[in-house]
Amino acid sequence: MMKECARKWLSEQFGDAEDIIKEVWTEYLSTTTERIEEARAALAAFDFPLLDSVAHRLKGNALMVGDQPSAVAAIELRDAAKASESDAAAKAIETLAELDRENHA
């Protein structure tokens, strides 16, 4: 189900074009799930520069569709990656994964 903040943002961008809104949201969902897996792999390899890059893309994608909670979690992931903090990064990834599951519900 689409978050209210995302629906409002996308409606502001695309008006009543429900087909475009659904297409953008669907693409966002598939991309986010893939990026979360990339983040997990980067963390497992302790590749913090890659993790920062993935977090940056997650943040940008979330902001593009108005998914504020996911954008905040992605910012937390970027901060953790920049500081090479594995525990904080793992927590942020799990938050993103939970938000992603909610988005798919």
Side-chain angles (χ1 to χ4, degrees):
M1 176 178 355
M2 190 180 306
K3 290 181 176 120
E4 185 58 35
C5 59
R7 174 160 296 287
K8 181 179 177 190
W9 174 257
L10 290 170
S11 292
E12 289 172 5
Q13 306 310 306
F14 299 107
D16 293 333
E18 190 64 31
D19 56 332
I20 294 173
I21 291 171
K22 284 183 179 182
E23 182 179 340
V24 169
W25 183 251
T26 300
E27 180 64 24
Y28 168 68
L29 291 179
S30 67
T31 302
T32 299
T33 301
E34 292 171 12
R35 295 284 179 266
I36 290 169
E37 291 309 312
E38 290 175 14
R40 285 188 171 126
L43 180 58
F46 297 101
D47 188 340
F48 292 103
L50 177 58
L51 183 59
D52 179 43
S53 176
V54 173
H56 178 75
R57 287 181 277 157
L58 282 162
K59 178 192 76 165
N61 289 348
L63 290 173
M64 285 177 51
V65 299
D67 184 356
Q68 294 300 321
S70 294
V72 169
I75 290 167
E76 291 171 359
L77 180 56
R78 282 202 80 190
D79 290 345
K82 288 177 183 179
S84 299
E85 294 179 359
S86 297
D87 290 342
K91 181 178 176 186
I93 290 169
E94 287 313 309
T95 299
L96 283 163
E98 178 58 34
L99 291 166
D100 188 50
R101 285 189 291 276
E102 290 172 10
N103 285 340
H104 282 279

